[in-house]
Amino acid sequence: MTMAGNTEADVLPPVSSSLLVEHGRAKVNLTLRVVGRRTDGYHELESVVAFADCADRLTLTEAPELHLRAIGPLAEACGATADNLVLKAARLLAERVPGLKVGEFTLDKVLPVAAGIGGGSADAAAALRLLAALNGLSLDDARMREVALATGADVPVCLASSACDMTGVGETLLPLDVPELPCVMVNPRVPVATKDVFQALGLRNGELLVGVTDVIQAQAWPAKGASIADWVTALKLVPNDLEAPALRIQPAIGEVLSSLRASDGALLARMSGSGATCFALFSNSGEAGRAAQKVSADHPQWWVHAGTLS
């Protein structure tokens, strides 16, 4: 992606600093192809990404020092706050923006961690949006995009939090007109480390997984106004290449997929990202809601959310 330079247009009037609020929406990989592994060890991906209506909540109060406090039902699962991507993103931005105003972040953590839905990346992106508002920075500022990618591969897509086709190592984003997709998201409450899944995939540096012919004949996604059925038909043609290696690492993913695929009205069920969260798409919210109720009743220990992706 070409980086735009910093111009006067990148500077916006700062907003009131009393209490700023943003949400880190869960990211769902509707498809995920691993094109190959670069010689530097990074993996090239192609993924259709949408965002759910469930989210962590992040607030920022201006203060002289940068600080993060985690609260909420899954706060302990975040680990040490010093390692949190919220602080990493803020520090990287401060290195690039002289005199950056910072403050105290409070993260209300409700999304599962190490779950394949970009929770940490969504929180980091929310932090960047908050700092942009506090400092009058545009999200199109080249420094914002540079920091997003330096923080993590999923942070650029989470910065916009809108449906797109993501390629490269996460830096190239093509907006897509995806209709609201009724869904059920399920996580068996077992963490799966992304690095372990890529290690199980087993690509060597410089090795391609997708052939040149596959790249040339890449899927054309439905145009604006396409139906849910049109999107499901297109999505079925492109898998998640990380599903098989993730299943070898964590068999519980198979149980989740079986439960979702057995749900009445499920049109498509697969894993998101590197797991262990899986999702199923439905024709309407009623079917999704009933499916979520049954999954929750059958597996009360699982995290279950019925909602929409967009």
Side-chain angles (χ1 to χ4, degrees):
M1 179 185 295
T2 302
M3 295 289 188
N6 298 315
T7 68
E8 292 182 1
D10 293 327
V11 181
L12 304 174
V15 300
S16 169
S17 60
S18 55
L19 180 68
L20 303 178
V21 182
E22 271 285 352
H23 291 86
R25 296 170 63 194
K27 170 217 59 140
V28 174
N29 299 90
L30 297 172
T31 68
L32 202 164
R33 300 305 315 272
V34 180
V35 177
R37 187 174 184 179
R38 305 191 320 190
T39 55
D40 61 8
Y42 286 96
H43 290 81
E44 293 265 355
L45 308 176
E46 193 271 333
S47 178
V48 172
V49 176
F51 287 83
D53 55 358
C54 53
D56 293 335
R57 182 177 186 266
L58 188 69
T59 64
L60 173 62
T61 303
E62 185 180 356
E65 300 294 329
L66 181 63
H67 185 259
L68 171 65
R69 181 172 66 105
I71 61 173
L74 292 176
E76 289 187 8
C78 290
T81 55
D83 300 325
N84 196 283
L85 291 182
V86 167
L87 293 182
K88 179 179 179 180
R91 289 172 179 140
L92 286 172
L93 188 61
E95 291 174 4
R96 291 161 174 80
V97 179
L100 184 78
K101 290 187 288 186
V102 294
E104 175 158 332
F105 288 104
T106 299
L107 174 62
D108 187 355
K109 190 66 181 172
V110 299
L111 297 178
V113 300
I117 53 175
S121 296
D123 296 339
L128 290 176
R129 292 194 298 271
L130 288 170
L131 290 169
L134 181 62
N135 289 274
L137 297 173
S138 168
L139 296 183
D140 289 330
D141 188 310
R143 295 168 295 184
M144 296 290 292
R145 296 198 300 272
E146 181 184 335
V147 166
L149 189 59
T151 303
D154 280 339
V155 179
V157 71
C158 291
L159 193 60
S161 288
S162 58
C164 68
D165 188 8
M166 176 176 69
T167 55
V169 293
E171 79 280 15
T172 304
L173 308 174
L174 175 67
L176 295 174
D177 286 296
V178 177
E180 286 198 350
L181 301 172
C183 76
V184 175
M185 298 166 60
V186 178
N187 183 279
R189 296 190 189 274
V190 290
V192 176
T194 299
K195 63 179 179 60
D196 293 342
V197 177
F198 276 108
Q199 185 174 352
L201 184 65
L203 291 183
R204 299 182 302 275
N205 285 4
E207 183 179 359
L208 286 177
L209 182 63
V210 175
V212 174
T213 303
D214 294 320
V215 174
I216 293 173
Q217 298 176 349
Q219 175 69 27
W221 300 110
K224 183 177 182 179
S227 67
I228 292 173
D230 292 334
W231 270 96
V232 170
T233 298
L235 293 170
K236 283 182 176 179
L237 299 175
V238 184
N240 180 346
D241 290 333
L242 297 182
E243 193 170 294
L247 278 164
R248 293 196 294 271
I249 291 172
Q250 183 45 259
I253 295 170
E255 297 177 45
V256 173
L257 287 171
S258 295
S259 180
L260 286 172
R261 287 168 179 159
S263 300
D264 290 339
L267 304 174
L268 170 69
R270 64 171 47 139
M271 188 183 79
S272 174
S274 56
T277 303
C278 301
F279 66 91
L281 301 181
F282 296 81
S283 296
N284 58 72
S285 296
E287 288 181 334
R290 288 188 291 273
Q293 289 176 351
K294 186 175 189 312
V295 172
S296 292
D298 292 344
H299 304 277
Q301 74 278 21
W302 289 356
W303 178 89
V304 179
H305 171 78
T308 57
L309 304 176
S310 61

